[in-house]
Amino acid sequence: MSTAPALLRMVEVSGAEALWLLEGSALGRLVYSRRDLTVVRPGRHRWEYGRLVVRAPAPAAAVPATATYQVDEVRAATGTGWSVTVAGPVDVITDPDEVAHYQRTLAGWSHGPHDTLLRLQPKTVSGFRLARAET
């Protein structure tokens, strides 16, 4: 049985809690603009040393210098959960040792020219929880 929309509320979370939620997940979406279109690609990620490492099926040349990464976990049955968005400058990881490490430890969806490893330096971090309203 799902919860009626009137009984739910959206609550902003602190940057620290948003990063904690991000660290505890592994799947998200890489979002960027290309030729006046919004591109959304699935991604797997890992939070390391204050940066987000993302592996996504996107051509490296297509990813601009700044991108957004969005992660969420929403329970359809209850309408509760959370969402986190991180945005900032992106660098393509090209060092052969780093590439080999992340290809071993961070699963991807595709292999070849569209299998890209990125490092996103967060400039903005925002998040919210979808929770039951106090009655």
Side-chain angles (χ1 to χ4, degrees), residues 70-115:
Q70 193 272 332
V71 179
D72 60 37
E73 181 181 304
V74 178
R75 293 163 209 84
T78 62
T80 59
W82 56 268
S83 179
V84 172
T85 303
V86 179
V90 175
D91 294 311
V92 176
I93 298 173
T94 57
D95 177 77
D97 293 332
E98 280 188 282
V99 168
H101 167 72
Y102 290 121
Q103 285 179 337
R104 280 191 314 273
T105 61
L106 198 55
W109 277 276
S110 64
H111 300 284
H114 297 295
D115 185 22

